[in-house]
Amino acid sequence: MPEQSNPELPPLPYDYDALEPHISEQVVTWHHDTHHQGYVNGLASAEETLAENRESGDHDGTAGALGDVTHNGCGHYLHTLFWENMHTDGGGEPDGELRDRIEEDFGSYEGWKGEFEAAASAASGWALLVYDPVAKQLRNVAVDKHDQGALWGSHPVLALDVWEHSYYYDYGPDRDEFVDAFFEVVNWDSVAKEYDKVVSRVEG
Ligand code: MN
């Protein structure tokens, strides 16, 4: 997740065609340069409105701007994680401590994957694997838009964007085919890194 105070579009961590043939260069280009950039801009603009309104004391538009912060902020954070969650040499299955934790919390890797795919199939936004710091366990979460259905305090470690802009150009209405393609490029090393970061903070 981005560790920065000012919203800024991070460069893609690979070339635009790195995820071919699973995700096309065209989709990655539109998705990163137009859609993700749009959330970054929307967050910056909402922050500006809030700062102006605090200064002037005129709170016309404040409630809308607060909604814009969560929508665009979550859009920005989740897209940043989504790009990191993929790699040209991705695919396969997780191993090490992350694998053990998935098996502990979901019964098996297959048990986790079936549930995650069901979330990806149903969500109008994102399927997420998150670490819940209250229950101290991994959970799958189905999110509508970018911020509806969030589990407060949870830390996403794997994000799959199932907005239509994510797959329609490549796969048409066959979202499940796109989900299979995602698993061909998923970067388990980045997921494990994110998992280690949050678990060491919460569990010591
Ligand atoms: Mn998206």
Side-chain angles (χ1 to χ4, degrees):
M1 304 294 270
E3 290 169 5
Q4 54 190 22
S5 53
N6 295 315
E8 211 173 90
L9 181 66
L12 264 189
Y14 33 73
D15 292 336
Y16 287 88
D17 63 357
L19 306 175
E20 296 255 13
H22 308 289
I23 304 177
S24 68
E25 178 178 5
Q26 179 65 80
V27 164
V28 172
T29 304
W30 280 330
H31 201 166
H32 178 268
D33 293 5
T34 303
H35 293 277
H36 189 171
Q37 180 73 65
Y39 300 122
V40 170
N41 296 347
L43 176 57
S45 153
E47 299 270 36
E48 214 175 282
T49 300
L50 291 176
E52 285 167 11
N53 290 4
R54 283 191 295 258
E55 177 75 22
S56 69
D58 175 0
H59 284 287
D60 275 358
T62 291
L66 291 171
D68 289 344
V69 167
T70 57
H71 176 77
N72 290 286
C74 291
H76 172 37
Y77 301 164
L78 291 179
H79 279 92
T80 301
L81 183 63
F82 178 56
W83 302 127
E84 288 171 1
N85 280 165
M86 298 183 286
H87 193 272
T88 190
D89 297 322
E93 296 184 3
D95 55 17
E97 283 181 31
L98 174 63
R99 172 77 179 218
D100 294 344
R101 196 60 177 264
I102 286 173
E103 290 176 355
E104 191 181 320
D105 291 341
F106 298 95
S108 64
Y109 171 74
E110 292 71 25
W112 165 76
K113 189 163 183 265
E115 188 178 286
F116 184 85
E117 287 170 341
S121 192
S124 299
W126 296 81
L128 305 177
L129 172 62
V130 307
Y131 177 79
D132 172 355
V134 178
K136 294 188 172 62
Q137 67 169 87
L138 293 167
R139 294 184 189 279
N140 286 320
V141 177
V143 174
D144 289 341
K145 298 196 173 172
H146 301 304
D147 52 350
Q148 298 177 10
L151 182 68
W152 302 119
S154 74
H155 184 102
V157 298
L158 174 64
L160 169 56
D161 187 339
V162 292
W163 283 57
E164 287 183 357
H165 66 229
S166 196
Y167 64 90
Y168 224 84
Y169 181 82
D170 288 336
Y171 294 98
D174 198 343
R175 188 190 292 185
D176 292 346
E177 206 181 320
F178 164 68
V179 172
D180 290 344
F182 173 76
F183 277 102
E184 295 295 320
V185 290
V186 65
N187 179 4
W188 285 112
D189 289 345
S190 83
V191 181
K193 203 177 86 186
E194 212 54 44
Y195 169 78
D196 289 345
K197 199 161 77 182
V198 61
V199 164
S200 66
R201 199 163 64 211
V202 174
E203 299 183 12

